């Protein structure tokens, strides 16, 4: 159903001067209106009670179209100061809010901003500016593209005026235009969304977008949902929400590679947002996994062949298999790890053997050192393991606030340098991570902001 809300002015329903439709009737004609709310101030209500002119012309137009047009009169006959803006703002807000609440899913709402006094028109435009209604605001040009001249007789012959209606002679020229200027409220909200995106706060951006009218966010809101799911590392939902008109912002597709790379990007965002505690707490899982992958790709050692699962389903070292010599080598995992462990604690009076329980980065580091001949890799692995060891308990158990300088003082490295080491370790995997992939969040942010601006430009016609 097409629904129109229209104040009424001196040239409604038809101009006695030029015999063209007034704005209300013209919109009903060209937008195939099914229901019209007619707002009447004191003078307009007086005219309506005198000769029923507005409903008369609506009925004649409905008959011409071979349909029924329902009309609802809104009497405001006590209102006399039609030049004062404030009173119309609150009156119109209540009326339009009620229309919007009652609209059906398939209903289209139109609002006439050409009829009535300047105060009425301004109130409607400002309402749209503040509330961003999901409707179309219609302007109707005068037939001569100049200011209308009003001439009114005391007892016009409405039947004759209908018969002489110039709209019929001019083959129904449509003088309506849709006022599509985005509201200041919407512009402010979109700028807030952009700022949240720049801060990688996709949940906050989505919260703002969901508070806006659906028509103003349709170009990017689904992609915001995907960005939220990406940041939450829920790649299954990222894929499920993908649409043909969307954009693919995850450059790594393979299972383990994608999981680990997206996790590394997430850590990188923690550094950029200076959320250092979260960053430090998140280091251990990635260090363990990437050490395993480096061992497999560069050291030809898959540690899963030397593991089992305990009663809780957790992967642990197999205490028998770790004593077996490695293929093509006259040494076992246990021998390598114990040798390095003894060296590390050589200044202690009594050193026990390394305890092979759950899979931690320390044992993997010792294996990297002995099985892969690459000094840069070994140094990087030692440094990242040292960082993990020094800050793991601090971040996990203490309530502290850490800044970049605090972390450097405790570990010898800033968060940015630690993140660079993690990136360097990826170059020793078989994941084929290109350097530009590390900017994929920034690329996603730019595309999200572009879509917001593009949708805004599509809407502008004023």
């Amino acid at each position: 159903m097409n629904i129109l809300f229209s104040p009424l002015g001196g040239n409604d329903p038809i101009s006695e001067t030029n015999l063209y439709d007034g704005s209300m009737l013209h919109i009903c004609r060209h937008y195939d209106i099914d229901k019209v709310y007619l707002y009447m101030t004191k003078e307009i209500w007086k005219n309506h009670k005198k000769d029923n002119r507005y409903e008369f012309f609506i009925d004649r137009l409905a008959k011409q179209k071979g349909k029924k047009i329902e009309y609802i009169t809104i009497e405001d006959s006590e209102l006399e100061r039609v030049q004062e803006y404030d009173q119309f703002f609150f009156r119109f807000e209540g009326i339009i809010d009620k229309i919007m609440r009652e609209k059906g899913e398939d209903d289209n709402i139109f609002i006439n901003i050409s009829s009535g006094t300047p105060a009425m028109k301004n109130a409607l435009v400002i309402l749209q500016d503040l509330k961003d209604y999901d409707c179309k605001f219609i302007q109707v040009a005068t037939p001569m593209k100049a200011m209308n001249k009003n001439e009114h007789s005391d007892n016009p012959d409405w039947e004759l005026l209908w018969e002489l209606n110039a709209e019929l002679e001019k083959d129904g020229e449509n003088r309506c235009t849709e006022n599509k200027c985005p509201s200041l409220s919407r512009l402010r909200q979109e700028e807030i969304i952009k700022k949240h995106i720049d801060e990688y706060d996709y949940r906050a951006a989505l919260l703002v977008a969901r508070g806006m009218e659906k028509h103003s966010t349709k170009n990017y809101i689904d992609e915001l949902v995907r960005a939220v799911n990406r940041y939450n590392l829920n790649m299954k939902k990222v894929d499920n929400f993908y649409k043909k008109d969307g954009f693919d912002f995850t450059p790594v597709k393979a299972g383990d590679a994608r999981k680990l790379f997206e996790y590394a990007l997430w850590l990188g965002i923690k550094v950029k947002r200076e959320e250092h505690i979260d960053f430090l707490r998140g280091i251990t899982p990635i260090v363990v996994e990437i050490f395993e992958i480096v061992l497999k790709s560069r050291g030809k050692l898959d540690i899963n062949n030397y593991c089992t699962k305990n009663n809780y389903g957790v992967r642990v070292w197999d205490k028998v298999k770790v004593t077996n010599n490695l293929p093509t080598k006259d040494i076992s995992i246990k021998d390598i790890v114990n040798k390095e462990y003894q060296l590390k604690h050589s200044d202690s009076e009594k050193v026990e053997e390394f305890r092979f329980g759950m899979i931690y980065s320390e044992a993997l580091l010792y294996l990297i050192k002995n099985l892969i001949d690459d000094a840069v890799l070994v140094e990087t692995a030692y440094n990242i393991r040292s960082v993990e060891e020094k800050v793991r308990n601090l971040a996990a158990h203490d309530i502290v606030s850490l800044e970049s300088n605090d972390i450097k003082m405790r570990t010898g490295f800033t968060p940015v340098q630690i993140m660079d080491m993690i990136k360097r370790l990826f170059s020793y995997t078989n994941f084929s991570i290109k350097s530009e992939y590390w900017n994929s969040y920034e690329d996603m942010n730019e595309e999200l902001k572009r879509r917001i601006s593009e949708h805004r430009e599509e809407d502008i016609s004023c």
Side-chain angles (χ1 to χ4, degrees), residues 270-286:
K270 293 298 180 182
V271 173
K272 292 169 184 173
R273 288 174 57 88
E274 298 185 356
E275 295 173 352
H276 296 134
I277 294 296
D278 287 347
F279 170 66
L280 296 176
R281 287 171 179 159
I283 288 177
T284 295
I286 198 170

Side-chain angles (χ1 to χ4, degrees), residues 18-177:
N18 56 39
L19 303 181
Y20 280 92
D21 288 345
S23 298
M24 179 274 293
L25 192 65
H26 197 72
I27 296 170
C28 289
R29 184 186 301 277
H30 289 283
Y31 281 87
D32 199 25
I33 297 299
D34 302 293
K35 182 178 183 179
V36 57
Y37 290 83
L38 302 170
Y39 177 79
M40 302 181 183
T41 54
K42 183 175 182 178
E43 184 178 352
I44 300 298
W45 178 256
K46 182 179 177 181
N47 291 335
H48 170 65
K49 296 302 290 183
K50 177 182 177 181
D51 52 33
N52 199 35
R53 64 185 68 176
Y54 309 105
E55 294 179 3
F56 170 81
F57 271 83
I58 292 171
D59 285 337
R60 285 303 179 94
L61 177 63
K63 184 177 180 181
Q64 185 185 76
K65 286 178 168 289
K67 62 180 289 183
K68 177 177 174 58
I69 300 178
E70 179 185 356
Y71 36 78
I72 298 173
T73 57
I74 301 171
E75 176 193 352
D76 210 347
S77 57
E78 299 302 316
L79 194 148
E80 297 184 27
R81 302 183 311 278
V82 295
Q83 75 281 1
E84 294 181 9
Y85 146 79
D86 289 354
Q87 57 191 343
F88 291 117
F89 181 89
F90 296 108
R91 281 172 162 82
F92 289 166
E93 181 182 30
I95 295 167
I96 297 172
D97 282 352
K98 184 175 185 294
I99 293 172
M100 297 303 293
R101 286 195 302 271
E102 294 174 352
K103 75 184 284 285
E105 187 175 341
D106 297 324
D107 290 345
N108 300 306
I109 309 296
F110 302 89
I111 295 179
N112 176 12
I113 57 173
S114 289
S115 290
T117 66
M120 294 180 189
K121 300 171 187 178
N122 288 339
L124 286 170
V125 170
I126 292 173
L127 263 177
Q128 169 66 354
D129 180 38
L130 292 175
K131 308 207 61 165
D132 198 17
Y133 291 117
D134 185 9
C135 61
K136 294 181 179 180
F137 279 58
I138 309 300
Q139 291 176 309
V140 181
T142 64
M144 308 308 168
K145 306 299 188 286
M147 185 179 294
N148 274 323
K149 295 180 181 180
N150 297 327
E151 294 181 8
H152 305 292
S153 55
D154 291 335
N155 295 291
D157 186 341
W158 297 116
E159 287 278 1
L160 180 61
L161 288 173
W162 171 259
E163 296 297 331
L164 297 176
N165 191 333
E167 302 287 347
L168 304 179
E169 298 178 6
K170 208 165 182 181
D171 197 24
E173 178 190 4
N174 188 347
R175 294 181 277 117
C176 299
T177 57

Side-chain angles (χ1 to χ4, degrees), residues 32 40 61 71 75 85 92 100 118 122-123 157 180 186 219 233 248 306 318 325-326 343 348 351 364 372 395 442:
D32 199 25
M40 302 181 183
L61 177 63
Y71 36 78
E75 176 193 352
Y85 146 79
F92 289 166
M100 297 303 293
N122 288 339
D157 186 341
K180 294 183 179 179
R186 173 180 160 189
N219 200 46
L233 301 175
D248 192 358
Y306 300 87
D318 188 309
N325 286 348
L326 296 171
L343 285 173
S348 302
V351 185
L364 302 178
I372 305 173
E442 287 69 32

